[in-house]
């Protein structure tokens, strides 16, 4: 498990070796796929385990580099990590101490900001790097800082680090209105407030399923959190959290990605271990394209249409259409008949991947937060980059639909958020190989095929 992230780039006889996906299209996906645990729940629940005075047994942790890195960080802080099986992990943070954590890992992931709330809750102090993560526009943490300050912490950002200290040694409850609907700030404040003295109320809170999952995890460990999943969350701080067991919900965005892949390739895929209610906005939008989506109790069946209809998409906080599904949808709409419009309602620069799709023959006009896609195009294979996690998934879907061979670079982004992406797709009929390329002039020469 350890080193998932580092494994995609390595040295070989003084030549840098880069692993890339080589995708032969066009393929049609058929079969069944098991959805893993939710990345954006796991990356908050793992740091939150730092605050538990006991052993947390957490099931359905996705095997991805983001969770791998957070578990490594907790280990560096002195927590004991025991793997029960590939997706069930015991975390015992009782001997964790406040000390310098591996900042090189922290600055690689966005979710390292949850360590601020967890370390403040546990130690009364925190030092983390400014968060890393996907680069699609300005991603400030001012709402996180607003929340921690309201809870009684002195917060200072300098030299690329965030320093936070609870003025009275322990945080105290507060009423916090978020100026922006922020998933991260909502979850970070919930974490920090769980062990604060008194009641905290978060207003204008985000409502994503993974926020409810975090609250359910903390409540199963003895916290007192109500209203998660609504725009007002109330937390009555407790003195300690006890150990226990918890299973993370299935990943809404991983499921959505496979749904779009099935629709785009014109295949038929049964997604197992999902919560259909979390997928409603994605299912509704796919049905508008003519795709058939059948919901069962814990699975959905997606059948691609012979021809895809154009649609308009506007991304919004939950329960709106998820911004993380915007890039995969962008690929699908390149194949749909007619002109589609995507409006990005959350980030200010999340269309960089459109340049990569243009290399494959897509016709797209982008103006700020709006992309106009002239669909009905036959995509052709090309050398493309994964600009970020979800953009990388969009390029893989494009490669499966394109005629010819597509090589996707910077696949470490994709490995951050999709467990066994290549294995699951090949089991559905894709033709994807992870291939070593020398990072030099003849970088097209394949060294070895994994
Ligand atoms: C989380 O990011 C997810 N990441 C993102 O998923 C997801 O795109 C995003 O929520 C929205 O759903 C994790 O959970 C680790 P936000 P986060 O705070 O918390 C602005 C993926 O692919 N904002 O809800 O960073 C911000 O710039 C990743 O899995 C502030 O202005 O998102 C954005 O415009 C990509 N100040 C908007 O709010 C702040 O303090 C929403 O951001 C915080 C955010």
């Amino acid at each position: 498990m350890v080193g998932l992230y580092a494994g995609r780039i390595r040295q070989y006889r003084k030549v840098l070796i880069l692993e890339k996906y080589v995708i032969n299209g066009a393929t049609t996906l058929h079969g069944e796929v098991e959805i893993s645990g939710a990345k954006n729940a796991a990356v908050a629940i793992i740091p939150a385990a730092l605050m538990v005075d006991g052993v947390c047994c957490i099931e359905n942790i996705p095997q991805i580099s983001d969770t791998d890195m957070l578990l490594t960080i907790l280990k560096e802080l002195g927590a004991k990590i025991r793997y029960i099986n590939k997706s069930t992990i015991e975390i015992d943070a009782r001997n964790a101490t406040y000390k310098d954590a591996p900042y090189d890992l922290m600055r690689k992931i966005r979710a390292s900001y949850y360590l601020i709330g967890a370390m403040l809750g546990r130690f009364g102090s925190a030092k983390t790097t400014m968060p890393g993560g996907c680069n699609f526009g300005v991603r400030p943490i001012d709402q996180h800082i607003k929340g921690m300050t309201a809870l009684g912490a002195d917060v200072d950002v300098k030299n690329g680090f965030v320093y936070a200290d609870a003025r009275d040694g322990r945080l105290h409850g507060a009423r916090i209105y978020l100026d922006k609907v922020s998933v991260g700030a909502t979850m970070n404040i919930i974490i920090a407030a769980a062990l604060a003295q008194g009641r905290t109320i978060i207003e204008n809170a985000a409502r994503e399923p993974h926020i409810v999952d975090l609250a359910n995890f903390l409540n199963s460990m003895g916290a007192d959190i109500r209203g998660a999943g609504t725009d007002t969350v109330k937390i009555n701080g407790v003195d300690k959290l006890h150990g226990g067991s918890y299973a993370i919900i299935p990943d809404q965005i991983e499921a959505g990605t496979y749904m779009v892949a099935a629709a785009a390739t014109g295949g038929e895929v049964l997604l197992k271990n999902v919560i259909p209610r979390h997928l409603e906005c994605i299912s509704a939008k796919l049905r508008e394209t003519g795709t058939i989506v059948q919901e069962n109790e814990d699975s959905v069946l997606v059948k691609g249409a012979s021809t895809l209809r154009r649609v308009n998409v506007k991304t919004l906080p939950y329960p709106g259409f998820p911004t993380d599904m915007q890039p995969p949808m962008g690929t699908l709409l390149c194949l749909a008949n007619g002109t589609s419009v995507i409006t990005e309602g959350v980030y200010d620069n999340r269309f960089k991947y459109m340049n990569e799709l243009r290399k494959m023959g897509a016709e797209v006009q982008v103006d700020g937060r709006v992309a106009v896609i002239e669909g009905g195009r036959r995509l052709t294979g090309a050398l493309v980059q994964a600009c970020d996690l979800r953009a990388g998934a969009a390029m893989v879907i494009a490669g499966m639909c394109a005629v010819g061979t597509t090589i996707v670079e910077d696949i470490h982004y994709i490995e951050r958020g999709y467990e066994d992406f290549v294995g699951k797709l090949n089991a559905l009929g894709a033709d994807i190989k992870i291939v070593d390329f020398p990072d030099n002039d003849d970088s097209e020469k394949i060294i070895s095929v994994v």
Side-chain angles (χ1 to χ4, degrees), residues 39-40 43 110-111 113-114 136 138-144 180-184 208 323-324 346-347 350 389-390:
K39 159 179 116 57
N40 289 343
V43 297
R110 177 83 182 158
Y113 50 35
Y114 291 131
F136 30 71
V138 178
R139 298 181 75 184
I141 61 165
D142 58 302
Q143 298 301 301
H144 298 247
K180 196 102 190 247
V181 175
S182 161
V183 169
E208 273 66 6
T323 176
D324 294 343
V346 177
Y347 292 107
R350 198 169 193 173
L389 164 55
R390 307 304 175 182

Side-chain angles (χ1 to χ4, degrees), residues 340-358:
S340 299
V341 178
I342 299 181
T343 307
E344 172 52 52
V346 177
Y347 292 107
D348 54 21
N349 181 14
R350 198 169 193 173
F351 287 119
K352 274 191 283 186
Y353 70 97
M354 290 294 188
N355 283 330
E356 304 304 310
L357 286 174
R358 287 191 185 105

Side-chain angles (χ1 to χ4, degrees), residues 372-395:
V372 179
I373 300 170
E374 297 303 335
R377 294 285 181 282
R378 181 83 224 172
L379 298 178
T380 54
L383 173 64
V384 294
Q385 281 187 314
C387 305
D388 58 62
L389 164 55
R390 307 304 175 182
M395 301 324 297

Side-chain angles (χ1 to χ4, degrees), residues 59 184 220 226 238 256 272 309 326 330 335 346 352 369 447:
E59 296 171 38
S220 69
R226 300 163 197 199
V238 296
K272 297 162 73 176
R309 292 197 294 265
Q326 188 257 89
L335 308 169
V346 177
K352 274 191 283 186
R369 289 190 176 215
I447 290 182

Side-chain angles (χ1 to χ4, degrees), residues 307-333:
T307 53
L308 287 164
R309 292 197 294 265
R310 45 82 47 215
V311 297
N312 292 336
V313 176
K314 179 168 175 56
T315 70
L316 287 168
Y318 191 85
F321 191 87
T323 176
D324 294 343
M325 284 302 303
Q326 188 257 89
M329 205 64 192
T331 293
L332 181 124
L333 295 177

